[in-house]
Amino acid sequence: MLAKQFGTVEVYWGGSLAEQIEFLAKGIADLILSKDNIMEAMMAESTQNYMPLIGYPSYTAFFISSREKPKIEKAYFLDKKIGLVDYPTSRSGHILPKQVFKQLDIDVSALSIVYASSHSALRDLLSKGEVDIIASYWQEHDQQRFSKNYITPIADNVSGSKWYIKMSDENTDLACSLQNSVNDVVNDMQSNYFSSLKHYWQCMTPPYGFIEVKNDEA
């Protein structure tokens, strides 16, 4: 179905928040990975007909250290090097930790913050001792480098990102084909995080049967 409807496929990897906003505002992307807060702010579902295909599960955001269990106290952060993601829409790596600092009445400019380009880069900084704490999510393989005793939750039930398709017409075959393709890719990643994906389209899969539609919100 993808080959029938698209002669070529162009993929844009990464990109800034400004680029993502431009893609949504102008309806450039046929398929895009985004977050609820961005889609709502851009009203992309109503103005550009973006509809969800697959939603990643909710997760918990943490402060993670390599030496001790982080404390949610003002004095604790003042003498620490803190690693955050240099991406203002990242909830676990940017928005939520800064909300904690605000709640603790900490001036962010008074903190020693090191910004990284990704969550993976944050983990490298922490393992090398270049920062004392990072703000991120917890993955199973993190236990190979860090201790689960040295993590402190920031927020629970943080909604995951979703893949959205631009659907000007009721192109169900295309939506189902893309949903199956994305589902196959994430299942190959062999992570427990992806075991409870929410599928928004109920589709027949060859030769028979339906993709399971889960009721829990991601």
Side-chain angles (χ1 to χ4, degrees):
M1 182 53 60
L2 295 179
K4 288 180 181 179
Q5 298 199 29
F6 293 96
T8 59
V9 176
E10 292 184 25
V11 178
Y12 293 83
W13 180 259
S16 65
L17 174 59
E19 290 174 326
Q20 185 176 162
I21 289 174
E22 182 180 9
F23 268 59
L24 291 171
K26 296 180 179 179
I28 297 173
D30 295 294
L31 180 69
I32 188 168
L33 179 64
S34 190
K35 300 174 182 176
D36 289 341
N37 58 330
I38 299 176
M39 298 299 290
E40 291 169 5
M42 299 302 301
M43 296 186 292
E45 291 180 86
S46 59
T47 60
Q48 298 294 346
N49 300 307
Y50 282 107
M51 302 179 69
L53 279 175
I54 281 183
Y56 294 120
S58 299
Y59 60 93
T60 300
F62 295 96
F63 282 119
I64 304 173
S65 173
S66 61
R67 302 176 182 176
E68 60 184 357
K69 187 175 181 65
K71 301 176 183 177
I72 308 297
E73 299 174 359
K74 182 175 183 177
Y76 179 81
F77 293 104
L78 294 178
D79 64 346
K80 298 290 190 298
K81 280 191 175 181
I82 304 164
L84 300 181
V85 174
D86 191 16
Y87 200 67
T89 59
S90 172
R91 280 166 283 191
S92 61
H94 195 107
I95 296 173
L96 292 171
K98 286 194 172 181
Q99 286 180 353
V100 170
F101 301 148
K102 184 176 181 180
Q103 292 165 1
L104 294 174
D105 194 28
I106 300 175
D107 184 351
V108 175
S109 64
L111 295 172
S112 177
I113 297 178
V114 178
Y115 289 100
S117 59
S118 66
H119 288 273
S120 177
L122 276 183
R123 284 160 170 74
D124 291 339
L125 290 174
L126 184 61
S127 66
K128 294 175 182 177
E130 295 179 20
V131 295
D132 301 304
I133 313 166
I134 61 172
S136 189
Y137 47 85
W138 183 257
Q139 305 172 105
E140 300 97 306
H141 61 261
D142 282 334
Q143 298 182 75
Q144 298 173 10
R145 291 197 286 179
F146 312 114
S147 170
K148 208 167 185 178
N149 291 323
Y150 295 161
I151 63 177
T152 299
I154 302 173
D156 296 322
N157 295 318
V158 181
S159 61
S161 299
K162 295 174 184 169
W163 284 99
Y164 290 86
I165 181 176
K166 187 179 180 184
M167 287 281 285
S168 300
D169 303 312
E170 195 67 21
N171 199 338
T172 305
D173 286 347
L174 177 60
C176 289
S177 181
L178 283 168
Q179 181 173 258
N180 289 339
S181 296
V182 174
N183 184 76
D184 290 343
V185 170
V186 296
N187 281 340
D188 287 343
M189 299 181 74
Q190 298 180 342
S191 169
N192 289 337
Y193 176 71
F194 299 111
S195 63
S196 56
L197 289 174
K198 178 172 181 178
H199 301 87
Y200 289 89
W201 291 77
Q202 190 171 17
C203 305
M204 289 294 293
T205 54
Y208 302 105
F210 288 89
I211 291 177
E212 181 182 1
V213 178
K214 298 181 181 293
N215 294 321
D216 55 313
E217 281 295 332

